[in-house]
Amino acid sequence: MTEPTFATLVSRWYTHHARDLPWRHPGVGAWAILVSEVMLQQTPVARVIPAWTAWLSRWPTAADLAAEPPAKAIRMWGRLGYPRRAVRLRECAVAMVERHGGQVPDRLEQLLALPGVGTYTARAVAAFAYGQRHPVVDTNVRRVICRAVAGEPDAGPATRPADLAATEELLPTEPAAAALASAAFMELGAVVCTARSPRCGSCPVTSICAWRASGQPAPAGPTRRPQRYAGTDRQVRGLLLGVLREATAPVSRHRLDQVWTDNVQCVRALTGLVKDGLVEQVDETSFRLAGDGPPILVP
């Protein structure tokens, strides 16, 4: 009898142990899956679920979001973090209306051509929304493959072509089975083969894991520390956006200057928000969320 493949073992485990996440339910469309993938970038699942539900309740289709100004998307994004994603998601919706009749395209090259859609997101949508065979590689998947196949304790900081190739080699030939395996690899890395405290006793591939067989060596270099937030420009940007989200009229620079004691940092954060298309300057002394009102007439 042929031994089950790596993908088969992980897929079997996934069918019994996968988390019950709303974007995995039968009948969930490509737009909802795309929204989930954008929201899940660098954001915990527990924070995404209520935001995803509220977003789709308000904008159940790409066309619904495309018809709104950027300010509505930024407000709806709330405190989910990395709010530039809200603007890019709206830009993506506009592009889908203009190029694809408001539908999420099912061809990888068309997905990659959408604003804000990169290598990971395009392949994730193609696999999870359309059941196609593509290597879907995020941090969790890279860690699983690196440990179980290569015997290394951890992967590098960014996805490389070699990571895509290594993952694709493990996928079943049949597209639906490959899409299931892609979801399974990701889930295994998220809940079992974690970065700091892997639960090897619960892993379906412990018996064939190269890292386990080598004695689970620790990384040779320094471990990556979580990104600091307190006191950074990210925190100041969040405070500035918080004021602007609550405002019903343009906000004066004087009012915005009050959110942070370091004026130089405050000005830098505000300038960055304008550059990123999240905020726009109404006149010499006031600002608002992008598109939050009539068009600004440039002299």
Side-chain angles (χ1 to χ4, degrees), residues 112-127:
L112 287 167
L114 294 172
V117 174
T119 296
Y120 165 77
T121 303
R123 286 169 169 79
V125 172

Side-chain angles (χ1 to χ4, degrees), residues 43-63:
T43 307
V45 167
R47 293 184 60 200
V48 168
I49 291 175
W52 179 84
T53 302
W55 187 279
L56 290 169
S57 177
R58 180 163 184 172
W59 298 307
T61 71

Side-chain angles (χ1 to χ4, degrees), residues 29 32 85 110 114 135 167-168 170 184 189 243:
R85 291 179 293 173
Q110 292 176 332
L114 294 172
T167 304
E168 187 169 15
L170 297 172
V243 172

